[in-house]
Amino acid sequence: MFSITTFALVLVCISQLADISATRYDPTWESLDSRPIPSWYDEAKFGIFMHWGVYSVPSFYSEWFWWCWKGAHTQECVDFMKKNYRPDFSYADFGPMFKAEFFNPDQWADLLARSGARYFVLTSKHHEGWTNWRSNVTWNWNSVDNGPHRDLVGELASSIRKRTNVTFGLYFSLFEWFHPLYLKDKANKFQTQDYVDDVMVPQIYDLVNTYRPEYIWSDGDWEAPDTYWKSKEFLAWLYNDSPVKDTVVVNDRWGAGCMCHHGGSYTCSDRYNPGVLQKHKWEDAMTVDKKSWGYRRNTVLSDFLTMDDLTSILASAVSCGGNLLMNVGPTSDGRIDPIFQERLEQMGDWLKVNGEAIYGTKPWHTQNDTSTPHIWYTSKPGLTYAITLEWPTTGTLNLSVPVTTATTTVNLLGLPDVKIPWKALTSHSGIMISVPPLTVSEMPCKWAWVFKMSNVE
């Protein structure tokens, strides 16, 4: 049986989908930018990103290893190759070494579900040009004809969709560092579009029609204008006629100058977290490994963000109207390294207790508390959540912003049956919450605790 509230939400979602599907969008930014972002994305709040490709074989420096070695000629990458590989070794020789022999898509799907993520983005192609599906325009430089000899995109899409409620998305690099057609177009100052017509456009349409991703995370756009990439024409088709036209979300990387100005969710820059409320829906795409999106074999423990770091980033992003897209890098043999598994499972443990303050919330009229550091607010109708990144050791938590009413109540998420005493700080605003004296084992979670306040203004 649906509750009245659930039924009303269903009607709202149906109405939004009807509004989206009834509109035809022109290939102009004015028209395309008028499309509302489908509601599932704002409600999801938290997703997982995975960068996985041939760069996972050397697993040194970052996913930009090929460019570091042969483009920028960075000394540490040049020295790494001289020390560890034969003199005539080429980047293409890494392809057969990307075997994914331990890749189990069902295990990955289970881990994603365990993490509490509501959406997932896999690299279908990075700037190296290798595709994790059999692209008809990428002969022998793809995961079916080479390396694993498996359709990695298709297998993972199938496992995620049959085992979880996680929305499936794909990252796609518009450009390729060393593709001869792209280099020719670049030399012609992008007055020719041979690479776009023969490679990029066929690939991105193939991805959408074959795998139906509901999030397309575009990248590699910055060297050329959107007219070179034919971005507006693609997005008009995507919104009007594609198999995911009513539900698809895109980001903002569709040509030089588009980032943070055009598209769907604004990413603005890698690891973007403004710390203040934004007028447009945005996303913090960031990495658990502070130095790389791809897997690195030479990491040390201090290279990884802690759960205190991650809950702080998540709380601030959601409070300011954003989403968090958290990246981990799989190994070339198809494993999620234990440190990444631990962070994913820890996020899932935290969200089991505190997800009410994250999923489906809206920014409150105030994002953080000026009198008490390390507080971020989120809200739902009639409810305000104060996410405190530090446990109040004094026995009280003073919040200067909430205005209490005669019907205000306070609970600690994870302890729903414990009503927490409180009193107003002044006649105008503020609340002093009496924090229950809990031992470490009695606390509902290990990081970032959430006080749920009803009927405050």
Side-chain angles (χ1 to χ4, degrees):
M1 293 287 291
F2 279 140
S3 68
I4 293 175
T5 301
T6 302
F7 185 68
L9 287 173
V10 171
L11 289 178
V12 169
C13 290
I14 292 173
S15 175
Q16 288 180 339
L17 287 177
D19 289 343
I20 291 174
S21 61
T23 303
R24 297 288 297 181
Y25 296 95
D26 298 324
T28 65
W29 285 125
E30 181 180 11
S31 177
L32 297 169
D33 289 343
S34 71
R35 179 182 183 263
I37 296 177
S39 60
W40 73 260
Y41 176 76
D42 182 55
E43 292 166 3
K45 304 301 184 186
F46 176 57
I48 298 298
F49 213 171
M50 286 191 185
H51 277 62
W52 195 32
V54 172
Y55 45 83
S56 306
V57 177
S59 50
F60 178 79
Y61 186 77
S62 78
E63 71 289 347
W64 278 60
F65 177 76
W66 192 7
W67 180 259
C68 171
W69 175 31
K70 289 297 187 180
H73 302 288
T74 304
Q75 197 61 47
E76 66 176 306
C77 296
V78 172
D79 290 345
F80 174 81
M81 292 304 298
K82 284 182 178 179
K83 183 177 180 180
N84 295 288
Y85 297 92
R86 67 179 189 269
D88 61 342
F89 194 94
S90 70
Y91 191 79
D93 291 323
F94 283 124
M97 301 166 69
F98 178 45
K99 296 180 180 179
E101 60 266 38
F102 298 127
F103 173 54
N104 184 324
D106 288 345
Q107 288 181 353
W108 283 30
D110 288 341
L111 183 58
L112 288 170
R114 174 82 167 77
S115 75
R118 294 292 174 87
Y119 63 103
F120 171 71
V121 179
L122 173 72
T123 44
S124 64
K125 182 186 80 167
H126 199 257
H127 312 325
E128 65 185 6
W130 172 277
T131 64
N132 280 326
W133 86 103
R134 188 174 195 168
S135 168
N136 290 333
V137 295
T138 312
W139 182 82
N140 204 42
W141 194 235
N142 66 75
S143 66
V144 179
D145 295 329
N146 200 338
H149 298 287
R150 297 169 66 176
D151 180 357
L152 303 178
V153 171
E155 288 186 37
L156 198 49
S158 176
S159 288
I160 288 174
R161 285 167 172 155
K162 76 182 180 184
R163 299 172 72 90
T164 75
N165 63 351
V166 177
T167 299
F168 182 75
L170 290 172
Y171 167 107
F172 178 77
S173 174
L174 299 180
F175 90 140
E176 300 176 24
W177 287 311
F178 302 112
H179 197 291
L181 291 181
Y182 179 74
L183 294 177
K184 182 175 75 68
D185 288 347
K186 185 176 179 179
N188 291 332
K189 299 183 178 179
F190 301 111
Q191 297 304 303
T192 56
Q193 293 176 294
D194 291 348
Y195 167 78
V196 170
D197 291 337
D198 295 348
V199 179
M200 190 222 90
V201 165
Q203 284 180 337
I204 198 167
Y205 279 83
D206 181 30
L207 278 176
V208 174
N209 285 318
T210 303
Y211 303 106
R212 303 191 175 197
E214 292 178 274
Y215 191 5
I216 299 175
W217 214 97
S218 176
D219 196 18
D221 62 316
W222 56 85
E223 291 188 342
D226 64 83
T227 50
Y228 171 75
W229 303 115
K230 299 186 176 180
S231 297
K232 294 190 289 290
E233 292 79 4
F234 168 73
L235 292 173
W237 170 81
L238 187 69
Y239 294 166
N240 293 329
D241 301 308
S242 79
V244 289
K245 61 186 178 65
D246 296 331
T247 56
V248 71
V249 172
V250 302
N251 67 342
D252 57 345
R253 303 185 182 195
W254 296 102
C258 287
M259 193 184 296
C260 225
H261 292 95
H262 297 299
S265 179
Y266 287 176
T267 62
C268 298
S269 64
D270 292 351
R271 303 175 181 87
Y272 174 68
N273 197 319
V276 294
L277 184 63
Q278 300 297 295
K279 294 180 180 180
H280 193 282
K281 184 64 190 179
W282 62 278
E283 180 178 82
D284 182 0
M286 46 70 68
T287 61
V288 176
D289 176 353
K290 301 172 190 176
K291 300 180 180 180
S292 176
W293 299 80
Y295 176 72
R296 294 187 302 133
R297 287 178 290 161
N298 59 328
T299 54
V300 296
L301 188 59
S302 60
D303 289 336
F304 299 96
L305 295 178
T306 66
M307 272 301 294
D308 286 323
D309 297 325
L310 294 174
T311 51
S312 174
I313 294 168
L314 177 62
S316 61
V318 174
S319 178
C320 297
N323 281 17
L324 175 63
L325 183 59
M326 187 177 88
N327 180 84
V328 300
T331 64
S332 64
D333 55 21
R335 294 175 296 109
I336 308 298
D337 220 33
I339 187 69
F340 291 131
Q341 288 187 42
E342 182 180 61
R343 292 295 181 271
L344 292 171
E345 292 185 2
Q346 288 171 332
M347 286 295 286
D349 290 341
W350 189 83
L351 285 164
K352 282 179 183 176
V353 175
N354 302 294
E356 178 185 337
I358 300 296
Y359 304 126
T361 59
K362 298 293 182 184
W364 199 40
H365 58 67
T366 303
Q367 277 57 66
N368 46 23
D369 204 280
T370 55
S371 66
T372 304
H374 314 299
I375 300 289
W376 292 95
Y377 292 109
T378 62
S379 71
K380 289 178 179 176
L383 299 171
T384 302
Y385 303 93
I387 306 172
T388 175
L389 305 179
E390 295 182 358
W391 181 256
T393 57
T394 61
T396 60
L397 178 64
N398 293 337
L399 304 176
S400 63
V401 178
V403 178
T404 61
T405 66
T407 58
T408 294
T409 62
V410 179
N411 296 94
L412 179 64
L413 290 190
L415 299 176
D417 299 327
V418 178
K419 291 208 171 176
I420 297 178
W422 62 269
K423 67 178 182 179
L425 283 176
T426 71
S427 59
H428 301 292
S429 67
I431 183 173
M432 183 177 72
I433 298 171
S434 297
V435 178
L438 302 175
T439 65
V440 172
S441 63
E442 292 171 329
M443 289 183 181
C445 61
K446 298 179 181 179
W447 319 271
W449 300 266
V450 181
F451 289 89
K452 173 183 174 181
M453 299 173 287
S454 67
N455 301 313
V456 297
E457 301 171 354

